[in-house]
């Protein structure tokens, strides 16, 4: 009961902070994504060390700074330049450092693509009403999946990967995302509604894939949570695992279909 109260209070605080950041946008948004990326990639690299991997943390951290500069519209920074730099840095590290294996290089690069790169897509929607859909879909899925699984969950979804997840919870998450999106689009008056409902359906599925991906990584590395920065929730990656996958989907769906 105590853990539920802590989790609820922490969750409400996170939601309120997110609303503030999205409402303000701009520089606050860029720095918020930057710090989240920095903490998230640190959590990921620390988890990998349990498998005796040696990701080159400094390159991962530098990538977060470069993405920050890109989001702040520094003229000398572009995505192409960022990835050219990262590629050269990883190749040079592989050549010069005897204790760095090819797997370590892959792990370092995966962390960069998985966390700061995917999280950047939140910033791409800054200043638009569509940015709200990232969090409505992701957290709507998480919340309703948890409630549905708790109340009705019987059939295990992926027992070997995440024993607590159920088919009923998964379906409840999808329904929750659709209903939450429907309320939002009806409130702001955007059309056609069927496209947003399709987005919420796809987004909910992707959100759950993001959750399962994070669970797979945790199981492989032998950890329960990525961290403890969010009381009752764990680390940044424990709370943003679904958002990492939903943000790019919403961004590209909006650009190509809306």
């Amino acid at each position: 009961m105590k853990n539920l109260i802590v989790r609820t209070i922490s969750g409400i605080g996170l939601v309120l902070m997110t609303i503030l950041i999205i409402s303000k946008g701009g520089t606050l948004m860029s720095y918020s994504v930057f710090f989240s990326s920095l903490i998230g990639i640190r959590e990921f690299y620390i988890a990998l060390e349990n498998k005796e991997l040696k990701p080159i943390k400094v390159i991962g951290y530098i990538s977060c700074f470069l993405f920050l500069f890109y989001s702040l519209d520094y003229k000398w920074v572009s995505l192409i330049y960022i990835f050219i730099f990262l590629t050269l840095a990883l190749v040079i590290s592989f050549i010069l450092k005897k204790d760095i294996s090819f797997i370590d290089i892959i792990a370092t690069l995966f962390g960069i693509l998985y966390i700061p790169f995917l999280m950047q897509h939140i910033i791409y929607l800054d200043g638009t009403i569509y940015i709200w859909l990232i969090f409505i879909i992701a957290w709507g899925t998480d919340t309703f999946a948890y409630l549905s699984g708790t109340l009705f969950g019987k059939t295990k979804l992926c027992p070997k990967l995440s024993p607590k997840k159920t088919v009923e919870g998964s379906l409840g998450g999808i329904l929750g995302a659709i209903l939450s999106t429907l309320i939002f689009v009806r409130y702001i008056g955007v059309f056609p509604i069927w496209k947003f409902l399709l987005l919420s359906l796809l987004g909910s599925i992707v959100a759950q894939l993001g959750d399962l991906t994070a669970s797979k990584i945790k199981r492989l590395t032998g950890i329960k949570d990525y961290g403890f920065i969010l009381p009752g929730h764990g680390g940044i990656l424990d709370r943003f695992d679904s958002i990492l996958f939903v943000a790019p989907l919403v961004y590209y769906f909006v650009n190509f279909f809306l």
Side-chain angles (χ1 to χ4, degrees), residues 6-7 15 21 26 30 54-55 67 71 75 77 79 86 123 131 144 169 203 212 219 227 236 245:
V6 172
R7 180 183 176 89
V15 170
I21 292 170
S30 295
K54 299 177 181 178
F67 284 120
S71 69
K75 294 182 180 180
V77 182
L79 285 179
L86 293 175
I123 298 176
I131 191 172
F144 280 86
L212 290 172
R219 182 166 290 273
I236 286 292
F245 279 37

Side-chain angles (χ1 to χ4, degrees), residues 170-239:
S170 176
L171 294 175
I174 293 174
L175 180 60
I178 292 174
L179 290 176
S180 300
T181 301
L182 179 60
I183 292 172
F184 175 73
V185 297
R186 293 282 292 182
Y187 175 74
I188 63 176
V190 291
F191 300 95
I193 292 179
W194 71 267
K195 286 189 177 183
F196 290 95
L197 296 183
L198 175 60
L199 173 59
S200 65
L201 170 63
L202 297 174
S204 184
I205 294 172
V206 167
Q208 295 184 55
L209 288 175
D211 192 357
L212 290 172
T213 299
S215 296
K216 177 73 172 184
I217 294 172
K218 287 192 286 187
R219 182 166 290 273
L220 288 174
T221 55
I223 62 173
K224 182 179 182 296
D225 294 315
Y226 282 104
F228 51 84
I229 193 171
L230 299 172
H233 294 274
I236 286 292
L237 294 183
D238 292 298
R239 186 68 277 181

Side-chain angles (χ1 to χ4, degrees), residues 21-243:
I21 292 170
I22 293 176
S23 300
K24 293 293 184 180
T27 302
L28 179 61
M29 170 70 72
S30 295
Y31 278 101
S32 297
V33 170
F34 163 69
F35 284 116
S36 297
S37 299
L38 201 61
I39 296 170
I41 203 168
R42 179 179 181 274
E43 292 174 349
F44 177 73
Y45 287 156
I46 289 176
L48 292 184
E49 291 177 348
N50 290 334
K51 298 297 292 184
E52 298 184 354
L53 294 174
K54 299 177 181 178
I56 309 173
K57 296 180 184 179
V58 65
I59 294 180
Y61 298 152
I62 289 174
S63 75
C64 293
F65 280 95
L66 292 176
F67 284 120
L68 170 64
F69 298 149
Y70 174 68
S71 69
L72 293 174
D73 291 327
Y74 281 47
K75 294 182 180 180
W76 53 273
V77 182
S78 69
L79 285 179
I80 294 177
Y81 291 159
I82 289 175
F83 283 107
I84 288 175
F85 168 79
L86 293 175
T87 300
L88 289 174
L90 289 171
V91 169
I92 291 172
S93 297
F94 179 64
I95 293 173
L96 298 181
K97 293 188 176 183
K98 296 181 179 180
D99 59 336
I100 297 297
S101 68
F102 183 69
I103 298 299
D104 297 328
I105 297 296
I106 296 299
T108 305
L109 181 59
F110 180 80
I112 294 169
L113 295 175
Y114 176 49
I115 301 166
F117 175 68
L118 291 184
M119 201 172 286
Q120 278 292 302
H121 289 77
I122 298 174
I123 298 176
Y124 299 159
L125 290 171
D126 184 25
T128 73
I129 58 172
Y130 304 115
I131 191 172
W132 297 99
L133 288 171
I134 297 173
F135 300 92
I136 289 172
I137 293 172
W139 287 348
T141 298
D142 290 346
T143 301
F144 280 86
Y146 175 77
L147 293 175
S148 300
T150 301
L151 295 173
F152 310 110
K154 292 182 178 180
T155 310
K156 299 297 182 182
L157 182 65
C158 299
K160 293 184 178 180
L161 181 58
S162 187
K164 294 183 179 180
K165 287 182 172 56
T166 63
V167 173
E168 293 81 5
S170 176
L171 294 175
I174 293 174
L175 180 60
I178 292 174
L179 290 176
S180 300
T181 301
L182 179 60
I183 292 172
F184 175 73
V185 297
R186 293 282 292 182
Y187 175 74
I188 63 176
V190 291
F191 300 95
I193 292 179
W194 71 267
K195 286 189 177 183
F196 290 95
L197 296 183
L198 175 60
L199 173 59
S200 65
L201 170 63
L202 297 174
S204 184
I205 294 172
V206 167
Q208 295 184 55
L209 288 175
D211 192 357
L212 290 172
T213 299
S215 296
K216 177 73 172 184
I217 294 172
K218 287 192 286 187
R219 182 166 290 273
L220 288 174
T221 55
I223 62 173
K224 182 179 182 296
D225 294 315
Y226 282 104
F228 51 84
I229 193 171
L230 299 172
H233 294 274
I236 286 292
L237 294 183
D238 292 298
R239 186 68 277 181
F240 283 78
D241 50 7
S242 56
I243 288 175

